[in-house]
Amino acid sequence: MSDWPDGRTDDNRSGNRYGQGSDNDRPESARVMRHVQRPSVPPQPRNAPRGAAPRQRRPEPPQYAPGTPAGLGGPGGPGDNAAYDSGYNTGQVYGAGNVRRTGGNGGNGRNDGGRVQGPPPDWRRRIKIGSLALVSVVLVVSIGTYFWADSKLKREVDLSKVIERPEEGDGTNYLIVGSDSREGMTAEDKKKLHTGSAEGKRTDSMMILHDGSNGPTLISLPRDSNVEIPSFKGSDSGKLYPGRGRFTKLNAAYAMDGPELLVRTVEFNTGLRIDHYVEIGFGGFAKIVDAIGGVEMDIPKAFKDKKSGADFQAGKQTLNGEQSLAFVRTRYAFAGSDLDRTKNQQKFLAALASQTATPSTILNPFKLYPTMGAGLDTLIVDKDMSLWSLSQMFFAMKGVTGGDGTSMNMPISGSVGGNLVWDKAKVKQLVEQLKNDEKVTVTEK
C-alpha cells in the first residue's frame, strides 16, 4: 500500500518531476507556468447600488478579437495570444531616428559607456560662420572708428567767404599750413619746445599739395615770399576790404585775417584754386610724432640752432616730438635760410606720412587710436573737408617720396627788401600743368 497521497507511488519520484519535495540530488527548477490573462472588471460607478450587476466592457474591435486571420488579430496578428501586447517593454529603443547608440566600444575600440552620439561636426559650416562673425566685427569697428575720427575734426575754416576765386582744375589742391599756435600748451611745454610765449598765431610753414593722376606734387611757399594782398571780405565782419596794391610777406596775410585771407592771397598770386585747407599747431605736431614712436630721418650734415633748440649730428636717427619740431623750424643754421628750411619740412612730412601709413600702425589699435587722437585734436580744416579727403591727402604726402612724386619750392627769381620774389613765368607754367593735371616739368631754379 502506497504511503503517498492520491495513489502516487515512489516511482513517480524517479521521473523528471521536481518541485514536489523530490529527494533527487539535482536542484529543483522553476516550472513554466502558462500566462493567464485575468478578465478585467470595469469599475462600478460611485453611486451604483450595492449588488448591482457589473458594467459590461465594450467588445474589442474585430482586428483584436481572437481567432481572426493574421494581420487582423489571427495567428501572428495582434489578436493572437502569441502576439498579444501586454505592455511589457522588451528594451527596444523607439524614436531614435538616425541617432545611433554605440554601446560597448562603439566598434572603434573605445568604451564610451553606450552613449548616444550625433553626426560628426560640420567644420566647413563652422568656419563659414566664424568668418562671417569676424568680418562683421571688423566692419562694425571700422565704421565706428570712422565716425569717431570724423567727429574730432575741427572744421573752422569757411572757404565760401573767399571771393573772386579761380576756376577749378583737375586733381585736388590742399593748402597745408603749420602755425606757431601755442593753444593748449603749458608754460613747461613752451619752454621744452622752444616756442616762446607770443600771443595769437602765425604761419610757420605753407605748402601746396597737388594730388592728381600723374603723381603728387608738393610745393613749398616760403613765408618770406613777396606777394600782393588783394581785396578780401573779412572772415568775421563780412566787410569788403578793397585791394591797395600793397606787397608784403606771405605770412602777413594770415596774421591780418586768418586762413580765409591766406587762401585768397595764394589764389590771387598763383591763379590756382585751393580745394581744401589743413592747419596744425606746434603742440599737435609734436604729439603726433610721439604717438607713432618717433620719425627716422637721415640728416646729411650736423647743425645746431639755439632759437629752435636744434642740435643734430649727421646720420640716421629717430627724432621724438621735441626734436622733430626743432628740425622743421630751424632756418638760421642754414645758408639758404627759409628756402633750406622748407626743404627740411618737405623731407620730414614725407617721412612722417611714410612711417605712419604702415600695417604696424594701422592694424595696431594701441598705436592707431593715440596717433589719430593726437593728430585730429589739433587739426583745423575747412568745412567741406571729410575724413576720406584727409586720408587721401595723407597718402598723397606719402607718395611724394615715391618714383612719381615731386617736391620743390616755388620758383624764385630774386629778392626785394628781404622778401623772395617769385619767377612769374615759371609760376604760370607750373600752375597750368597742375590745373591740367599734367606731369610737372618746371624746376625751382
Side-chain angles (χ1 to χ4, degrees):
M1 183 173 179
S2 173
D3 295 331
W4 296 92
D6 300 328
R8 296 185 184 177
T9 65
D10 189 52
D11 292 338
N12 291 333
R13 294 190 301 139
S14 61
N16 290 330
R17 292 170 170 259
Y18 304 103
Q20 296 291 338
S22 171
D23 61 355
N24 196 304
D25 57 355
R26 294 176 60 189
E28 294 182 351
S29 62
R31 288 183 299 167
V32 177
M33 298 184 68
R34 185 170 63 87
H35 175 72
V36 179
Q37 169 127 10
R38 298 189 178 203
S40 60
V41 179
Q44 295 295 329
R46 290 185 179 179
N47 299 328
R50 231 179 244 187
R55 198 162 73 176
Q56 297 297 321
R57 175 181 290 273
R58 250 185 224 178
E60 296 288 347
Q63 63 268 29
Y64 294 105
T68 56
L72 293 177
D80 190 84
N81 288 338
Y84 180 78
D85 183 7
S86 63
Y88 177 74
N89 190 344
T90 62
Q92 183 176 357
V93 179
Y94 297 95
N98 61 352
V99 179
R100 54 192 177 86
R101 179 179 295 275
T102 61
N105 59 13
N108 56 10
R110 179 174 48 119
N111 189 356
D112 54 13
R115 291 171 298 182
V116 177
Q117 296 199 1
D122 187 350
W123 289 108
R124 297 179 71 180
R125 182 170 178 270
R126 291 187 180 186
I127 292 174
K128 184 178 179 180
I129 294 175
S131 301
L132 290 175
L134 179 61
V135 170
S136 300
V137 170
V138 171
L139 186 62
V140 170
V141 171
S142 300
I143 294 174
T145 300
Y146 181 89
F147 283 103
W148 167 79
D150 188 72
S151 67
K152 294 179 75 68
L153 285 177
K154 296 180 179 180
R155 297 180 173 91
E156 299 177 358
V157 180
D158 189 357
L159 296 183
S160 66
K161 295 180 180 180
V162 180
I163 63 174
E164 301 177 15
R165 309 195 66 186
E167 294 182 358
E168 293 184 1
D170 296 328
T172 305
N173 300 311
Y174 301 87
L175 181 59
I176 304 172
V177 175
S179 74
D180 63 358
S181 171
R182 285 94 173 159
E183 184 179 355
M185 296 175 63
T186 64
E188 184 179 353
D189 292 334
K190 295 175 184 178
K191 182 179 179 180
K192 178 182 178 181
L193 299 176
H194 302 273
T195 63
S197 300
E199 295 298 328
K201 59 181 180 180
R202 287 150 292 279
T203 54
D204 205 58
S205 61
M206 291 160 285
M207 303 178 189
I208 294 175
L209 175 64
H210 174 80
D211 184 20
S213 58
N214 282 293
T217 302
L218 184 62
I219 306 166
S220 289
L221 309 176
R223 71 177 195 173
D224 293 340
S225 298
N226 194 59
V227 295
E228 180 181 352
I229 302 296
S231 59
F232 68 96
K233 183 183 291 186
S235 58
D236 292 330
S237 64
K239 181 180 177 181
L240 183 63
Y241 295 89
R244 299 177 181 177
R246 181 169 69 96
F247 283 79
T248 184
K249 293 181 179 181
L250 180 59
N251 65 345
Y254 185 94
M256 288 174 60
D257 199 50
E260 287 84 1
L261 179 55
L262 178 61
V263 171
R264 165 71 174 141
T265 303
V266 170
E267 289 185 343
F268 179 82
N269 285 271
T270 63
L272 183 69
R273 186 184 181 95
I274 301 299
D275 299 300
H276 292 294
Y277 177 92
V278 181
E279 177 187 327
I280 187 169
F282 282 163
F285 183 83
K287 287 179 180 179
I288 293 175
V289 175
D290 287 334
I292 65 170
V295 175
E296 185 179 49
M297 292 291 297
D298 189 0
I299 301 176
K301 186 179 179 180
F303 65 90
K304 192 173 183 178
D305 181 23
K306 290 183 178 180
K307 289 190 175 182
S308 66
D311 187 2
F312 298 103
Q313 300 298 318
K316 288 186 177 181
Q317 49 203 290
T318 300
L319 310 185
N320 60 25
E322 178 184 351
Q323 294 169 325
S324 299
L325 189 58
F327 180 82
V328 299
R329 293 184 62 217
T330 298
R331 64 171 176 163
Y332 295 106
F334 309 123
S337 187
D338 202 32
L339 294 177
D340 286 341
R341 179 173 72 165
T342 56
K343 292 180 180 179
N344 280 343
Q345 291 171 348
Q346 291 176 351
K347 290 179 182 178
F348 183 86
L349 290 178
L352 174 63
S354 179
Q355 294 174 39
T356 303
T358 60
S360 62
T361 298
I362 296 175
L363 300 179
N364 184 355
F366 298 102
K367 202 171 184 180
L368 176 63
Y369 283 92
T371 302
M372 294 180 67
L376 297 175
D377 277 342
T378 56
L379 280 181
I380 297 176
V381 299
D382 64 272
K383 292 186 176 181
D384 294 327
M385 174 72 85
S386 66
L387 192 61
W388 173 254
S389 297
L390 187 63
S391 65
Q392 291 293 100
M393 183 203 80
F394 186 79
F395 281 99
M397 182 75 73
K398 178 182 178 181
V400 169
T401 56
D404 296 331
T406 302
S407 60
M408 59 185 292
N409 280 322
M410 187 65 80
I412 304 297
S413 62
S415 63
V416 55
N419 296 342
L420 299 174
V421 179
W422 293 354
D423 187 325
K424 291 184 178 180
K426 284 190 172 183
V427 169
K428 183 178 180 181
Q429 184 184 0
L430 174 62
V431 170
E432 286 300 315
Q433 291 178 344
L434 295 177
K435 276 186 174 182
N436 298 325
D437 201 14
E438 299 172 354
K439 184 69 177 178
V440 173
T441 60
V442 177
T443 60
E444 59 185 87
K445 293 183 180 179

